[in-house]
């Protein structure tokens, strides 16, 4: 459990940092962050606060889907937003296109590592992932179809609000699945079975 908790928080903090890198690169964001950025431009709160508020709102949508949050779900909502704001406070804005490109690629790769780490800790899905799996379970639709539908919807809303799309959006869409899959295989914490003489 100690390792799982350390891995969970390390993954969530790294996720917030990688998000800040992609924001500073200003070459396009993933669909949810396009939406977060669009809201950020309009409501006068910090980017991380917007991430937290959206996470809470999304988790409330779990209620009719009868999804149950875990400890990791609650941590996901708050830690990523706080880590993103802290990272944005210390990261400078790269001035050249080559440096912005480096930050973008680094952000996407670190995001993949972060996803593998916090999912591999197995302490509860993030609110956005839980919404996706809940809808899939209740409708019988394929998980990929549900994910695509949700991400297209939030991307469209984010663009309408002024969020940034670009090369980074395409790179993220193509790379994040394989990256998370690769690092999830490395970072999934195996639950050790109890000895036969111990009660479950």
């Amino acid at each position: 459990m100690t390792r799982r908790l350390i891995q969970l928080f390390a993954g969530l903090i790294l996720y917030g940092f990688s998000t800040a890198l992609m924001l500073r690169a200003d070459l396009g964001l993933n669909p949810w962050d396009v939406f977060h950025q669009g809201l950020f431009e309009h409501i006068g709160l910090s980017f991380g606060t917007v991430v937290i508020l959206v996470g809470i709102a999304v988790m409330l949508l779990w209620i009719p889907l009868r999804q149950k949050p875990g400890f990791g779900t609650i941590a996901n909502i708050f830690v990523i937003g706080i880590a993103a704001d802290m990272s944005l406070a210390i990261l400078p804005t790269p001035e050249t296109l080559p440096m912005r490109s480096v930050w973008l690629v680094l952000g996407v790769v670190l995001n993949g590592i972060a996803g593998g780490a916090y999912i591999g800790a197995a302490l509860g899905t993030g609110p956005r992932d839980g919404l996706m799996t809940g809808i899939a379970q209740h409708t019988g639709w394929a998980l990929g179809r549900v994910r695509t539908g949700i991400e297209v919807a939030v991307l469209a809303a984010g663009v309408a609000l002024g969020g940034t799309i670009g090369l980074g959006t395409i790179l993220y869409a193509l790379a994040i699945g394989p990256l998370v899959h690769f690092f999830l295989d490395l970072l999934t914490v195996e639950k050790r079975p109890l000895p036969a003489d111990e009660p479950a």
Side-chain angles (χ1 to χ4, degrees), residues 21-81:
L21 280 173
M22 289 185 282
L23 278 163
R24 287 286 186 248
D26 196 26
L27 290 171
L29 302 167
N30 70 67
W32 277 105
D33 282 336
V34 172
F35 180 61
H36 296 147
Q37 187 186 40
L39 287 175
F40 163 73
E41 297 290 343
H42 289 274
I43 63 178
L45 299 173
S46 72
F47 182 86
T49 301
V50 172
V51 171
I52 291 169
L53 293 176
V54 170
I56 293 171
V58 170
M59 196 175 71
L60 292 177
L61 296 177
W62 287 24
I63 296 173
L65 299 173
R66 299 181 181 178
Q67 295 283 94
K68 294 181 180 180
F71 174 78
T73 308
I74 307 302
N76 183 295
I77 291 173
F78 292 97
V79 175
I80 290 177

Side-chain angles (χ1 to χ4, degrees), residues 102-171:
V102 168
W103 282 36
L104 170 64
V105 173
L106 183 60
V108 173
V109 173
L110 291 179
N111 197 270
I113 298 172
Y118 81 73
I119 295 170
L123 289 169
T125 64
R128 296 154 187 82
D129 290 333
L131 176 65
M132 173 184 65
T133 56
I135 291 174
Q137 289 170 3
H138 277 71
T139 61
W141 296 342
L143 195 62
R145 178 183 176 187
V146 174
R147 177 172 182 168
T148 299
I150 291 174
E151 294 195 349
V152 167
V154 297
L155 180 63
V159 171
L161 290 168
T164 303
I165 61 170
L167 176 62
T169 310
I170 299 170
L171 177 62

